[in-house]
Amino acid sequence: MLASPLVNRRVDTLLRTALDQVQGSALKPVTALPPALRRRLAGAPIQIDGNVLDPDLQLLLRLEGILPGTMKQSVKSARANLLTLSKLVAGQPRELQRVTELTVRGADGQVGARLYVPRSAPMSAGGLLVYFHGGGWVVGDLDSHDAYCRDLAEEAGIRVLSVDYRLAPEAEAPTAAEDAIAAFNWAVEHAEDLGADPSRIGVGGDSAGGNLAAVVAQQSVRRDLPAPALQVLIYPAVDLVGRRPSRDLFGEGFFLTEKDINWYRDHYAPDPAIRSDPLVSPILTEDLSGLAPAYVVTAGFDPLRDEGNEYAAKLAAAGIPVEHVCERAMLHGFANILALSGETRAARLRISTAIRTALNPG
């Protein structure tokens, strides 16, 4: 049964109020609605390719203005838009033992970083995840992913070092990749200062950040550098050359669009010749042997789903220990939507649990 126009107008009004306020609890007027009402407002279930979209995510997509895209925007406005959006969906930020602003080594200078220490951090050196934010290598920063890094640190019980690598178009490919490689190695060298065991430092990221994490894992082997103990790839973008059926299935209406993908690609790697370089498209690496164990998360309603699935399969075929979870009811970006509980939170907790198990055993 569909909601009445009156009820729909009521929720639209609540959303506009939330957008005007833009604070940690901005989605409360919507998320506080009874689950049955939220399902009705979301509309008829969306089922594609055997997957059914989570109704809470479907409601967010339906509410006008909640997840604006980047197409037809300037870089400046796209960056500002993501910050606004991230605050809207962040929920209440987690309280930690400590959050510290740092500078770390980039490819040819210093870049910003932020260290998150959970309340449960062990007295002795523990696990650390070097994290690279998503945003198509063009948008996003320490603040856009602050809430998720807080949540990840607290739920996984490990330190998280979020790295503010340089963005395109000011710094084209492969600058972000080289910054990521340098930052990870800095973290290993400074493990004691960070309160980390150098043998328990992983690398991770979402979307474009997942791309960078995959590159770090590969290049640590190729360049004979310290290797991560784990690579966490959350709906990673790993191929800037090819396209797969999920790009057609979910290229419109599911937050990340086909136009968005091309907009990001054209800013990050405007020269088509570099797009096939493994520093840019890690799935095109011929030899994947010897890499760190991987935890790969893909989303059922994500245009990047198939390339992530394929990369997980290629890692496994190369003999890499891989745990691949396809969150069938999720869409691209779900990890950052902390204002939602239910299935979205459960999917986030699976990521945190896997990291805790790998980097903080016992």
Side-chain angles (χ1 to χ4, degrees), residues 89-142:
V89 301
Q92 188 63 41
R94 302 292 292 268
E95 291 293 332
L96 303 181
Q97 181 188 130
R98 187 173 74 254
V99 177
T100 305
E101 303 292 333
L102 302 171
T103 56
V104 304
R105 186 170 63 238
D108 53 11
Q110 300 291 309
V111 297
R114 189 173 290 167
L115 179 66
Y116 298 87
V117 180
R119 290 173 293 183
S120 60
M123 296 297 292
S124 58
L128 170 73
L129 185 72
V130 180
Y131 194 84
F132 305 112
H133 66 77
W137 311 276
V138 179
V139 303
D141 57 21
L142 299 180

Side-chain angles (χ1 to χ4, degrees), residues 52-64:
V52 180
L53 183 63
D54 176 72
D56 282 340
L57 290 174
Q58 183 177 335
L59 176 57
L60 294 191
L61 288 176
R62 182 178 178 181
L63 297 174
E64 184 179 2

Side-chain angles (χ1 to χ4, degrees), residues 213-233:
V215 168
V216 169
Q218 290 184 9
Q219 295 303 313
S220 66
V221 173
R222 304 297 164 252
R223 302 183 187 186
D224 196 24
L225 297 169
L230 174 73
Q231 51 177 317
V232 181
L233 314 180

Side-chain angles (χ1 to χ4, degrees), residues 67-351:
L67 295 172
T70 57
M71 57 184 176
K72 299 182 181 177
Q73 292 182 327
S74 68
V75 169
K76 181 179 179 180
S77 63
R79 290 172 179 169
N81 187 65
L82 180 63
L83 281 175
T84 298
L85 174 61
S86 65
K87 293 176 183 178
L88 181 64
V89 301
Q92 188 63 41
R94 302 292 292 268
E95 291 293 332
L96 303 181
Q97 181 188 130
R98 187 173 74 254
V99 177
T100 305
E101 303 292 333
L102 302 171
T103 56
V104 304
R105 186 170 63 238
D108 53 11
Q110 300 291 309
V111 297
R114 189 173 290 167
L115 179 66
Y116 298 87
V117 180
R119 290 173 293 183
S120 60
M123 296 297 292
S124 58
L128 170 73
L129 185 72
V130 180
Y131 194 84
F132 305 112
H133 66 77
W137 311 276
V138 179
V139 303
D141 57 21
L142 299 180
D143 291 333
S144 67
H145 284 61
D146 179 76
Y148 181 56
C149 287
R150 287 172 176 269
D151 188 77
L152 189 58
E154 190 66 15
E155 292 294 347
I158 63 166
R159 290 166 168 82
V160 173
L161 180 68
S162 181
V163 177
D164 203 18
Y165 58 88
R166 286 172 290 173
L167 299 176
E170 296 89 346
E172 296 176 0
T175 301
E178 294 292 356
D179 278 349
I181 295 165
F184 177 80
N185 280 277
W186 180 94
V188 175
E189 293 169 11
H190 292 81
E192 183 177 352
D193 297 332
L194 297 170
D197 179 342
S199 68
R200 291 159 58 189
I201 299 180
V203 65
D206 62 291
S207 193
N211 169 288
L212 299 178
V215 168
V216 169
Q218 290 184 9
Q219 295 303 313
S220 66
V221 173
R222 304 297 164 252
R223 302 183 187 186
D224 196 24
L225 297 169
L230 174 73
Q231 51 177 317
V232 181
L233 314 180
I234 304 172
Y235 35 80
V238 290
D239 191 352
L240 275 68
V241 178
R243 58 177 296 119
R244 293 160 184 78
S246 59
R247 289 272 292 270
D248 297 316
L249 287 172
F250 310 110
E252 292 293 335
F254 296 97
F255 178 36
L256 180 67
T257 70
E258 175 73 12
K259 290 183 178 179
D260 291 335
I261 294 170
N262 292 335
W263 187 88
Y264 290 132
R265 179 202 63 197
D266 293 345
H267 281 80
Y268 180 54
D271 180 3
I274 200 174
R275 295 173 187 169
S276 59
D277 190 314
L279 284 170
V280 178
S281 295
I283 198 172
L284 300 182
T285 299
E286 293 183 4
D287 183 6
L288 293 173
S289 61
L291 302 189
Y295 186 79
V296 183
V297 181
T298 54
F301 288 81
D302 182 359
L304 302 184
R305 181 196 67 187
D306 290 354
E307 64 190 74
N309 290 349
E310 183 179 324
Y311 189 60
K314 289 188 69 172
L315 288 170
I320 308 304
V322 177
E323 183 175 357
H324 172 215
V325 179
C326 182
E327 299 290 356
R328 296 165 60 97
M330 298 291 106
L331 48 69
H332 193 87
F334 75 82
N336 282 31
I337 309 177
L338 283 88
L340 292 183
S341 55
E343 287 303 312
T344 306
R345 182 172 186 273
R348 289 197 312 273
L349 287 178
R350 281 188 279 273
I351 298 172

